[in-house]
Amino acid sequence: MTEELLIETRDLTVGFPVGGRLFNKKTLKAVDGISIGIPRGSFFGVVGESGSGKTTLGRALLNAVPITGGHATYHDGEVRYDLSTLSGTELKDYRKRAQLIFQDPYAALSPRMTVRDIIAEPLEVMGLTASREETDARVREIAAKCRLNLEHLRRFPHAFSGGQRQRISIARALVSGPRFVVADESVAALDVSIQADILNLLKNLQSELGLTYMFISHDLSVVAHSCDHVAVMYLGRIVESAPTRKLFAAPRHPYTKALFSAIPSLDPDDRGRAQKLEGEIPSPTNQPPGCKFHTRCPHATDLCKAREPVLQTESGHAVACHRWQELL
Ligand code: SF4
């Protein structure tokens, strides 16, 4: 049986003009030719370092940054939207259907608003309720689902811990009844024990509300326990993509292997085998030729420096590396 895709992209590109002078302008391609399918009801992970383009990809799928090339579609029952041309009532409807959970639960919540008003704001801005009573009922309903004490609704955000604030952020994101949720580093600012609590909450809400997540993280160990599928990004491209179990059992791309090495191990032998990721990710305005990872890859050859590898799929596991089979 083929999975139904809620989100599908084909050669999706997001570019920004940079440089001051007319003849000196360049295009920074933060997302460069990405083709993915996010099945309905899935927990789809996107992993990469800062500067890999994962946040821009999430924003593009929320229609928060302009798509400059390729296609992205949202398909849910009778509703089918081309995200590069959305406007008017379709765009208004899509805002309700696609929401973002922010990274930083401290910065995301206005200190001057009560928790009730923070959660209610999207309903009021989008005009989704007809009366204050209806708004209050919806706020109470979603707050309870996010395991917030109803007595907390009268308080201000400073009274809460990081985990509680993130539950408030989640309630605010879900109050409009979205189908697609982008969670951008949504547990990165939290302690490890609280991270597990928030991930469990997201999982429970997924099945209860029929949500589809794009879960963006720099940390492979976080996506291991929550995501069904993981796409690894480097310099705006996907370099490896596979069901989580396959990716963790046998990563193929040297960049993915280096990210795995960054996961702390309790085994002293493993620590000795770690492949440290050297250097910095290059600037998207000054990308190297050939394989974009060759400036940091210990296995780079002349072929790697001259020709960019194509993402090739074998048994549901895609990788973009000339040498992945030799390096297994
Ligand atoms: Fe490394 Fe070459 Fe593979 Fe790129 S194509 S990841 S440089 S081995």
Side-chain angles (χ1 to χ4, degrees), residues 253-255 291-295 297-301 303-305 307 309 320-324 327:
H253 198 282
Y255 179 58
C291 172
K292 304 302 170 198
F293 188 56
H294 87 249
T295 54
C297 180
H299 312 292
T301 61
L303 173 66
C304 304
K305 293 171 191 168
R307 183 148 38 100
C321 171
H322 294 304
R323 305 188 61 201
W324 73 267
L327 300 173

Side-chain angles (χ1 to χ4, degrees), residues 182-205:
V182 175
D184 188 358
E185 299 279 11
S186 297
V187 296
L190 305 173
D191 291 344
V192 173
S193 60
I194 310 294
Q195 285 185 354
D197 184 51
I198 295 296
L199 287 170
N200 284 338
L201 175 65
L202 291 175
K203 273 278 182 199
N204 293 342
L205 291 167

Side-chain angles (χ1 to χ4, degrees), residues 66-84:
I67 291 168
T68 52
H71 294 282
T73 52
Y74 168 89
H75 184 201
D76 189 20
E78 298 293 299
V79 176
R80 189 177 195 96
Y81 293 144
D82 177 345
L83 301 186
S84 57

Side-chain angles (χ1 to χ4, degrees), residues 160-306:
F160 297 95
S161 66
Q164 286 171 317
R165 286 181 189 220
Q166 197 54 297
R167 278 192 245 130
I168 297 167
S169 289
I170 293 168
R172 179 184 161 93
L174 301 185
V175 75
S176 64
R179 308 281 293 149
F180 176 53
V181 176
V182 175
D184 188 358
E185 299 279 11
S186 297
V187 296
L190 305 173
D191 291 344
V192 173
S193 60
I194 310 294
Q195 285 185 354
D197 184 51
I198 295 296
L199 287 170
N200 284 338
L201 175 65
L202 291 175
K203 273 278 182 199
N204 293 342
L205 291 167
Q206 180 187 28
S207 50
E208 192 178 346
L209 302 175
L211 301 173
T212 301
Y213 291 113
M214 172 182 269
F215 187 83
I216 296 170
S217 178
H218 67 281
D219 185 347
L220 267 174
S221 60
V222 170
V223 303
H225 301 291
S226 43
C227 296
D228 313 312
H229 190 104
V230 181
V232 181
M233 281 186 75
Y234 189 79
L235 264 185
R237 292 162 174 78
I238 288 181
V239 296
E240 185 160 8
S241 177
T244 308
R245 198 172 31 81
K246 282 191 179 183
L247 190 90
F248 277 73
R252 293 176 178 176
H253 198 282
Y255 179 58
T256 314
K257 291 177 189 174
L259 291 179
F260 270 105
S261 295
I263 300 174
S265 172
L266 296 176
D267 180 346
D269 293 340
D270 275 358
R271 278 183 231 153
R273 283 199 293 270
Q275 301 171 26
K276 197 158 172 282
L277 192 53
E278 302 285 355
E280 298 287 325
I281 192 165
S283 164
T285 55
N286 191 21
Q287 301 200 14
C291 172
K292 304 302 170 198
F293 188 56
H294 87 249
T295 54
R296 302 168 80 191
C297 180
H299 312 292
T301 61
D302 288 344
L303 173 66
C304 304
K305 293 171 191 168

Side-chain angles (χ1 to χ4, degrees), residues 116-170:
R116 181 265 172 209
D117 289 347
I118 287 169
I119 299 174
E121 193 176 38
L123 295 175
E124 287 158 357
V125 170
M126 291 188 243
L128 298 178
T129 47
S131 65
R132 185 170 175 98
E133 289 70 32
E134 196 184 335
T135 303
D136 281 339
R138 178 65 187 145
V139 168
R140 282 198 297 272
E141 182 191 4
I142 202 69
K145 286 189 194 305
C146 293
R147 301 206 311 267
L148 286 164
N149 189 329
L150 298 189
E151 124 92 5
H152 291 165
L153 295 176
R154 290 200 302 268
R155 298 197 198 159
F156 290 86
H158 65 78
F160 297 95
S161 66
Q164 286 171 317
R165 286 181 189 220
Q166 197 54 297
R167 278 192 245 130
I168 297 167
S169 289
I170 293 168

